[in-house]
Amino acid sequence: MNRRLSGIAMPTAVAVALLGTPLLTTATAGGATAAGRVPKPQSVLGWVPCADYKVATYEQIADYYHKLDQASDRMKLVEIGKTSEGRPQLMAIVSAEENLRAENLERYRQTSVRLSQGDGLSESVARGLAQSGKAVAWVDFGIHSTEVAGHQTAPQFAYDLVTSETPEAREIRDNVVTLLVPNVNPDGGTKVAEWYRQNLGGPYQDAGYPELYQKYAGHDNNRDWYMFNLQETQNVGRQLFHEWLPQMMHNVHQTAVFPARISIPPFEDPLNPNIHPQVVRGVNIVGDAMGQRLEREDKVGALARQQYDIWWNGGARTSPYYHNQVGILTETAHASATPRVYDPKDFPATFADGTSTSKPSVFYPSPWQGGEWHLSQSCDYIKTASWAMLRLASDDREGWLYGAYQMARDGARDGAGVTYVIPADQADFPTATKLVDKLRWNNIRVEQALSSFKVGKRTYPAGSYLVREAQPYRAAVLDLLNPQVYPDRRLYPGGPLEPPYDITGYTLSFQMGVTVDKLDRNVRVSTTEVGWPKVPTGVVAGAPKHAYALDPRVNDSATAVNALLAAGEKVSRSTAEVTTRTGKLPAGTFLVRTGPQTGDRIGALATELGLTIAAVDAKPAGAKALAAPRIGLYDGFNNYDEGWTRLILDQFRFGYAKLTNAQVRAGDLRAKYDTIVLPDATYSSMRNGRAAGSLPEAYTGGMTDAGIANLKAFVEAGGTVVTLNRAAQLPIQAFGVPVKDVTAGVEETELNIPGSVLNLNVDASDPVAAGFAPTASAFVADGPAFEVTEGAKGVSVAATWPTSNLLKSGFLLGEDVIGGKAAVVTAKVGKGQVVLLGFKPQHRAQSHGTYRLLFNAMYLGGQR
């Protein structure tokens, strides 16, 4: 049974915990918390948190949170979900005893939700709620596991917040409900702690954890906050954007801009124009309060207005902006438990913008002058910054709550008269439904039409989705469904672009390849509100005389095909258009011959995946048998792109094995694999790997020349190598393919694509582009563009960059450099082939619209 809170279905146990009955522990009955009976962290951990050379695992920190909860009625501990590796993820709710009584806590939670979604409230009701409510503030630790100060601070910060009897602490507990997440990435917290302990005192003590510490994303786990691909992101996002909707949040990191001791807001321009001004002002106010408190506590070296901007959506502190929440990122210095002495002679003279690192300036008024530094100092800076935010939340409790209502009201007002329609008659409607799922994770309101409706000359079928711009989180709607126009911020005329914090263009509908029509009118049609979208109704059009046909335009046709191949079904791919009982399907259609259990399997997959599967009665003119390709996914260790690729292969049920440098060096690859995928990486990094002596031997060294020769032999013997983005450098430089990368050596003043969505021309007659329309959208960041040698044989081009109107979302400099050049190339090498995909078709598991380029390329290795 599920309990629906704020329009979101939640497991009953979690819902009950949030309503006031702790899921894991029970608070002490009656009586105020007494510091004397509440265990100090060192009594559980065995040392004072943040001591030199000590790093607690997540399990140890969780154990302390349990004991603190058991000893105090100022904390309620709840489990918010499981991690990617199955650990329970915890959140502590800290406030005054009276506030944590079940009925009161639920009232304050609902007040926060109602005001955040308060476009339907009257001003008087909103005023009353703000007056009677409690501010909700969020502090999380440990999102980046190698930044150890955060998760090591978590025990002490919780203890101090629960037990302190200063007037300030009492006021904060009275006025604020504080949500504490001791570790956003528990799996990595334990891995990094254990690695440090194992190597303590040895040569690799400070070498850093060598693999991805989050199962799929590693350090890139802070890039998932509008996609919600990762279990941990879902756990936290459910609380941030659905259950509690805090007015402000502090996302703790630990890589300050050197030599500063902590990076704080205000942040840099550019400002994303979709974000409400109150959010921006709030970020600045909180940042200034942090800086002032640090100065008053003689904690020098706080730096603002460097490196971090307010443009990109998708980070743990940036996504809240689009939900009318004040998102704060701090980055403290010295991400290590090993103390160190820093000599100011080694400091750079200036920061990136030319500001002195040694002389006072407006946003760096107390420069740090170097010296000894310990983990405990980093932890103290984190605690000070967090207390500053909570003090501000307490002092202006009513203002923050009422401001949330005002922003929701403004979203409804400013978005009036605009409707986005996601048509149900687009070819890959299952992927369109996945887009709706992402919108709902962002708490964007979505409706589904109960009947067909007409707008102008276009008739939309029943089942189409509607997103009205007039809603509380209008900023999220604008940002995910419209192109970004990143400003041209050159450092000087004709000079390089000021680098963005992350990327410049990421429009989700473009990346996912979903048609979304923006209509400048309020569409009237009978609809139902969407909680979580269901897959489309699966359809199997009769029992065929020859085969079942799966549409190559639909991503999840690959999911079904992989399941069918694993079950022993016979599958082929057409080389020409296929006639089915329901119409024609393009070349590349998957054909599944009928067998004893085929019909049952087809029916089950159609229902599960929302596929329309057609009957084929006559054998098509041409088809190639398809076997499940034996896929090797190259893992050079700690490559985010490998992790995201692995996630997609898991989601779409491709069988694969990790292929390490040692295995590449060992050779005999053709006996084990049909297709080898090289994720985004440079030729140098793949060839050389990590330097000998920098880590244990198992993690050092690359493919070497011998391994690259083995890869070439694999292709020549009939294998398929698929390269993603910069990995194309390897076959171009080492295999002698007749292809040139026209971007090689071009200065960034002439070519700069800092993460943008571009238009792409596609030739669906090429097997790699089977099932594509003539145009598509592709996410590009520092990718190659190809020019085929004149007269070259055995080379085909599946996609090219247009010569004009290349940019679709973000920023582009260098249209003349790549315009008209090839983006996807297949080159014969001996009996095999190399497929060069000149961008990331699977970027951060977001670019569903180009997944099929990767899928088609991998399937080449299984064609017989």
Side-chain angles (χ1 to χ4, degrees), residues 366-385:
S366 56
W368 185 60
Q369 301 300 332
E372 193 171 305
W373 195 265
H374 298 263
L375 177 62
S376 59
Q377 292 170 277
S378 299
C379 296
D380 286 344
Y381 274 58
I382 291 170
K383 288 185 287 186
T384 295

Side-chain angles (χ1 to χ4, degrees), residues 59-271:
E59 285 75 12
Q60 290 176 298
I61 294 170
D63 183 41
Y64 177 70
Y65 266 59
H66 281 291
K67 288 181 168 58
L68 181 58
D69 177 45
Q70 290 168 348
S72 172
D73 48 4
R74 294 174 180 171
M75 174 191 278
K76 288 185 181 294
L77 191 62
V78 298
E79 180 181 323
I80 59 175
K82 301 294 185 186
T83 69
S84 297
E85 297 181 7
R87 288 179 172 86
Q89 190 161 15
L90 302 178
M91 180 179 78
I93 307 170
V94 179
S95 196
E97 298 91 326
E98 184 66 20
N99 295 343
L100 290 183
R101 293 184 185 278
E103 65 277 9
N104 292 337
L105 184 61
E106 176 58 11
R107 176 161 55 87
Y108 296 136
R109 187 191 71 80
Q110 289 189 9
T111 295
S112 180
V113 171
R114 289 182 67 190
L115 289 168
S116 179
Q117 300 176 348
D119 52 317
L121 297 176
S122 67
E123 184 173 342
S124 61
V125 170
R127 285 283 187 193
L129 288 170
Q131 289 169 1
S132 64
K134 304 295 183 184
V136 179
W138 173 285
V139 182
D140 67 61
F141 305 99
I143 187 170
H144 285 157
S145 303
T146 50
E147 299 170 5
V148 296
H151 45 100
Q152 299 307 297
T153 299
Q156 189 67 52
F157 186 77
Y159 174 82
D160 293 345
L161 187 59
V162 166
T163 64
S164 176
E165 294 297 343
T166 65
E168 178 185 58
R170 290 198 298 269
E171 287 177 6
I172 288 172
R173 289 194 298 267
D174 286 343
N175 293 321
V176 182
V177 175
T178 303
L179 308 177
L180 297 180
V181 176
N183 202 316
V184 177
N185 182 33
D187 299 339
T190 291
K191 290 176 181 178
V192 167
E194 291 178 342
W195 171 266
Y196 183 78
R197 292 174 179 182
Q198 290 165 7
N199 290 283
L200 188 62
Y204 310 117
Q205 171 181 296
D206 298 310
Y209 189 70
E211 299 186 76
L212 295 178
Y213 54 67
Q214 198 284 334
K215 181 177 179 179
Y216 293 112
H219 205 73
D220 222 27
N221 64 341
N222 195 28
R223 301 296 185 269
D224 187 45
W225 294 85
Y226 58 70
M227 284 303 288
F228 297 95
N229 279 310
L230 306 176
Q231 190 61 47
E232 295 83 354
T233 318
Q234 292 182 7
N235 296 341
V236 170
R238 187 181 289 111
Q239 306 306 316
L240 277 176
F241 302 146
H242 295 276
E243 293 307 320
W244 280 98
L245 297 162
Q247 289 77 58
M248 59 182 65
M249 63 88 70
H250 180 196
N251 180 227
V252 172
H253 289 253
Q254 196 186 6
T255 313
V257 181
F258 188 77
R261 296 296 86 191
I262 185 171
S263 295
I264 59 174
F267 298 123
E268 281 194 302
D269 282 318
L271 169 65

Side-chain angles (χ1 to χ4, degrees), residues 84 212-218 229-230 639-648 650-651 656:
S84 297
L212 295 178
Y213 54 67
Q214 198 284 334
K215 181 177 179 179
Y216 293 112
N229 279 310
L230 306 176
N639 181 346
Y640 312 155
D641 202 52
E642 179 273 332
W644 290 120
T645 306
R646 183 161 30 87
L647 173 62
I648 293 166
D650 284 345
Q651 289 175 336
Y656 66 94

